[in-house]
Amino acid sequence: MKTKTVLITGASSGIGKAFAELFAKLGYRVILASRNEEKLKELARQLQNHYNVSTIAIPVDLAQSNGAVLLHERLNDQDIKIDVLINNAGIGSFGLLHEQDVRSELEMLQLNVQSLSHLMMLFLPDMVKRGSGRILNMGSTTSFYACPLSANYSASKAFVLSLTESVANELQGTGVTVTALCPGATGTEFFRSAKMDGQKVADPKALMNPETVAKIGYKALMSGKTYVVPGFQNWLLTQAPRLFPRRFVTKITRGVLEQKL
Ligand SMILES: NC(=O)c1ccc[n+]([C@@H]2O[C@H](COP(=O)([O-])OP(=O)(O)OC[C@H]3O[C@@H](n4cnc5c(N)ncnc54)[C@H](OP(=O)(O)O)[C@@H]3O)[C@@H](O)[C@H]2O)c1
């Protein structure tokens, strides 16, 4: 049987790294993409040694507007076809929007929104032509409600869920599926890089582990689900806007984010 190929963005740490391990264990050829070349190469070596699979490390900055094209071109040049795209790379930010560094916020939107959508648009035509392919887009529980103090971030994740639901519908009957994985707080580098590690929401005791999140995402992806929220408590949270007035939910999410450890 032909070896399948998975492309994972944001593979150097956290949930992306857990996906890389999972796919390597299953015998996939694994393509790892993010900025940190050294970390990617080290992970590529480890996966090759442990699972005897072929790996490729591609350093790329997806917060730049040409990042998605460069990554796609690099794979095209080597005639590599992607069977599974894990559109995972993303960052967060914390604080009042009017006090944020504008450039950093725009880079976050480029990464979480534009590059994610751009990669889908670059890889989908070939998948549809071949009549097979799977895409996983990284959403969040914040895809379902507004989050003051993380305004652009939560809006970026709402975009991911909406995009995924629309495209999943468009793809019916093509053999290609797209799934949004919407985790709650997970134990990765995310909170440290978003400068949220002093907040209660980042309490290590309450975090899911990235391997569990990746496993749940993988199952949903392979069964062609449109979205999945890992964990019952997280799922309950995502139902809040259906049960309570939106303004009330927004007030509560702000209260939760403001709590310090
Ligand atoms: N952790 C959570 O609580 C949580 C909850 C819901 C959703 N998520 C989502 O899960 C995804 C993965 O995050 P994580 O929790 O695993 O955090 P993480 O450990 O910080 O991983 C983020 C990954 O994205 C990569 N990345 C960051 N900036 C990049 C850029 N400009 N270009 C290319 N790659 C870049 C990082 O690698 P380099 O530094 O090497 O570039 C890293 O591999 C994100 O989309 C995040 O929004 C996380």
Side-chain angles (χ1 to χ4, degrees), residues 32 36-48 55-59:
L32 309 161
N36 190 321
E37 188 169 7
E38 244 171 60
K39 273 193 179 177
L40 290 180
K41 284 190 168 160
E42 178 51 32
L43 178 62
R45 249 194 310 274
Q46 280 176 17
L47 297 177
Q48 258 165 18
T55 57
I56 302 174
I58 305 182

Side-chain angles (χ1 to χ4, degrees), residues 8-18 33-40 58-64 67 87-92 107-108 110-112 115-116 137-143 153 156-157 160 181-194 201-202 207-208 210 213:
I8 303 166
T9 68
S12 64
S13 76
I15 303 168
K17 189 174 175 184
S34 74
R35 291 165 305 176
N36 190 321
E37 188 169 7
E38 244 171 60
K39 273 193 179 177
L40 290 180
I58 305 182
V60 63
D61 186 352
L62 294 168
Q64 302 305 313
N87 230 339
N88 160 75
I91 53 168
E107 283 183 358
M108 177 179 71
Q110 176 68 50
L111 175 66
N112 295 7
S115 289
L116 177 140
N137 291 328
M138 188 55 78
S140 160
T141 45
T142 66
S143 298
Y153 176 74
S156 78
K157 295 301 181 182
V160 171
L181 171 58
C182 302
T186 306
T188 67
E189 296 298 307
F190 177 84
F191 291 110
R192 196 186 48 76
S193 52
V201 70
L207 302 177
M208 263 184 114
V213 170

Side-chain angles (χ1 to χ4, degrees), residues 86-124:
I86 304 291
N87 230 339
N88 160 75
I91 53 168
S93 75
F94 183 65
L96 299 166
L97 187 71
H98 67 268
E99 290 176 0
Q100 296 302 301
D101 177 62
V102 173
R103 197 171 151 185
S104 308
E105 290 287 304
L106 293 179
E107 283 183 358
M108 177 179 71
L109 291 175
Q110 176 68 50
L111 175 66
N112 295 7
V113 172
Q114 311 248 98
S115 289
L116 177 140
S117 177
H118 200 165
L119 284 171
M120 269 187 50
M121 290 190 281
L122 291 169
F123 287 101
L124 263 177

